[in-house]
Amino acid sequence: MDRTIRLAQYSLLLGLLILALKAGAYLLTGSVALYSDALESIINVVAAGAALFALSIARKPADAGHPYGHAKAEYFSAVLEGVLIVLAAISIIYSAYQALQAPKPLEALGLGLLVSLGATLLNAGYGTYLIRAGRHLRSPALVADGQHLMTDVVTSGGVLAALGLVALTGWTILDPVMAILVALNILWVGGRLVGSSMRSLLDEAAPPETQALIRRLVAEHAEGALEAHDLRTRHAGRLTFIDFHLVVPEHFTVGQAHAICDRLEAVIEREVPDSEITIHVEPEGAAKHRGVLVL
């Protein structure tokens, strides 16, 4: 089984466990801040399910209807997660407002905090692992899922701190106030997730350092050619699409030009994993003299 699919499955199972723990903490205490924490966990479960579905689609090979593959499906998962976070924030703010209007005493606070702390530690461990694995596997869906878990950890820490103060001081107003702060934080994170995924859906170019690496590799390994120009890159999930024009001497045969292209493709694929490369060969007379000069 693909490792990314397996990690997404684990994320879904963990999300269900965390949801059960946080829902239990809320039911024990009646805290609106713990309610906000539990609500975010519901989104984690939905998002993990969406990520699993998107990853299963993204891993399908290219076909006649999708010659460039299905990798962009992962970005739809990240967009969905961002939208769900925004909806959760609105619900939390509404509940917190109601709690401010009619404050309630909290019950079994010590036990509720202990249960929530256990759930937070589980989230922290797996969220950290998921981000590292997602970056290594070049999976936007896994990275987004891990970042959401870490956001959950931060907000849960704030909730635990606020409820600890409630237990020490008896200031129950801190409960809905903390819930509102949690909502504003996850609203900001949701907006960032949507923005990042939308940019990728619009064929955002590879990072400047990746483009610089490609130019250097072409300059160093295109021996026999004269110039490369019109370099373009774009991301689609774990894939990086690269295309450029390669200028060769007028007298070169097709076989000579093809050998240079094969050499370039091999070295670029080695240095830029999961890359798809297209090279357009041009004779010397078509050179624009404004691209990468071959060393």
Side-chain angles (χ1 to χ4, degrees), residues 24-43:
Y26 162 63
L27 292 173
L28 282 169
T29 63
S31 163
V32 70
L34 287 177
Y35 165 74
S36 70
D37 216 12
L39 187 60
E40 189 173 5
S41 292
I42 293 176
I43 295 175

Side-chain angles (χ1 to χ4, degrees), residues 39 44 52 170 175 198 201 215 248:
L39 187 60
N44 284 346
L52 181 58
D175 181 37
M198 290 301 295
L201 285 171
R215 289 189 175 91
V248 299

Side-chain angles (χ1 to χ4, degrees), residues 104-295:
K104 297 179 181 178
L106 303 180
E107 301 175 2
L109 196 51
L111 181 57
L113 289 177
L114 189 61
V115 172
S116 182
L117 177 61
T120 301
L121 292 175
L122 285 173
N123 260 350
Y126 194 67
T128 301
Y129 176 70
L130 208 55
I131 291 173
R132 289 177 182 171
R135 286 173 178 165
H136 176 70
L137 296 169
R138 298 169 63 83
S139 170
L142 289 182
V143 172
D145 204 14
Q147 287 174 337
H148 188 192
L149 289 180
M150 293 311 294
T151 301
D152 197 10
V153 169
V154 173
T155 55
S156 295
V159 168
L160 290 170
L163 292 181
L165 285 175
V166 171
L168 291 173
T169 64
W171 297 344
T172 54
I173 195 172
L174 290 175
D175 181 37
V177 167
M178 189 62 217
I180 291 173
L181 293 177
V182 168
L184 293 176
N185 181 57
I186 64 175
L187 189 62
W188 178 71
V189 171
R192 280 204 316 165
L193 271 176
V194 171
S196 174
S197 298
M198 290 301 295
R199 288 194 298 272
S200 297
L201 285 171
L202 293 173
D203 288 338
E204 187 176 35
E209 56 270 22
T210 301
Q211 297 185 51
L213 172 62
I214 295 167
R215 289 189 175 91
R216 179 175 63 79
L217 293 173
V218 171
E220 294 176 355
H221 297 277
E223 183 181 355
L226 303 173
E227 177 188 334
H229 61 84
D230 290 346
L231 170 67
R232 298 188 304 173
T233 62
R234 67 182 177 89
H235 276 313
R238 74 187 190 284
L239 300 177
T240 301
F241 289 90
I242 303 165
D243 68 80
F244 58 88
H245 294 216
L246 186 72
V247 180
V248 299
E250 296 275 0
H251 65 271
F252 261 37
T253 65
V254 172
Q256 288 174 303
H258 182 70
I260 298 173
C261 291
D262 279 350
R263 187 166 67 244
L264 285 174
E265 288 173 1
V267 71
I268 293 173
E269 287 172 355
R270 185 176 67 245
E271 297 295 327
V272 184
D274 295 315
S275 56
E276 297 283 341
I277 306 159
T278 302
I279 304 174
H280 175 75
V281 177
E282 296 177 347
E284 185 176 359
K288 297 184 178 181
H289 302 297
R290 59 179 179 82
V292 178
L293 295 178
V294 178
L295 300 178

